[in-house]
Amino acid sequence: LLRPLLTRYGERRLLTVGTIAQTLAMAGLTIFRSPVIVGIGMMPFAFGRSMTDPSLQALTTRFAGPQERGEALGIFSAMQSLGFIIGPVWGGAVFEWLGPRWVYGADAILMAGVVILTLVLARMALPELSVQAAAGSIQHRATEATDGEPI
């Protein structure tokens, strides 16, 4: 599902739309009271998340050279895991201090900052992923796999 959208609109647009969808969902969840409406309100969040994660991974690989991509994705995954640890701790503290609705409200406020950051970063120049660079990387890996003899 994401590949056609990615091809048509690009990583930056999907990242921006996904971040905005998540922010609006969190803001809505602060207001909604019905469990059914809350369940429906999570749909834009899930949709936005499904766009942001692959887009962020794709953009991460664009900023790393062929030799550093594994390290860059490892750091990306480590930071994401750190967020999975800190998020519930932060949410629990907000729940205790301000009440259950503000777990979503605090997230909406943080996500609004992320939307601003995303809009700023979306205007940055990206390194081009050229076909020649990708082909060189494939040839380099193939040469390493055959103990230095070209294929």
Side-chain angles (χ1 to χ4, degrees):
L1 174 68
L2 189 61
R3 172 69 64 188
L5 292 174
L6 187 60
T7 304
R8 185 171 186 170
Y9 299 110
E11 295 105 349
R12 292 191 249 192
R13 278 196 183 142
L14 290 184
L15 182 61
T16 303
V17 169
T19 304
I20 290 170
Q22 290 179 69
T23 304
L24 293 175
M26 287 297 117
L29 290 171
T30 303
I31 300 167
F32 301 140
R33 295 179 189 254
S34 164
V36 173
I37 301 296
V38 168
I40 293 170
M42 287 304 289
M43 288 180 191
F45 181 81
F47 177 73
R49 180 79 190 263
S50 73
M51 287 193 294
T52 56
D53 282 1
S55 296
L56 283 171
Q57 288 176 352
L59 289 169
T60 299
T61 61
R62 301 264 302 268
F63 282 99
Q67 302 298 328
E68 296 86 23
R69 285 195 182 126
E71 182 180 352
L73 287 173
I75 292 169
F76 174 85
S77 294
M79 293 297 107
Q80 193 173 35
S81 296
L82 187 61
F84 290 145
I85 294 168
I86 293 173
V89 171
W90 166 256
V94 170
F95 184 93
E96 288 294 319
W97 293 333
L98 301 173
R101 287 174 179 259
W102 276 101
V103 172
Y104 300 116
D107 190 34
I109 292 167
L110 289 172
M111 288 297 297
V114 172
V115 167
I116 293 168
L117 181 61
T118 301
L119 292 171
V120 169
L121 293 177
R123 296 187 190 285
M124 286 179 58
L126 290 176
E128 289 300 321
L129 186 60
S130 70
V131 175
Q132 290 172 339
S137 176
I138 291 169
Q139 179 63 37
H140 177 72
R141 283 182 279 172
T143 304
E144 285 180 346
T146 58
D147 295 325
E149 294 184 27
I151 7 183

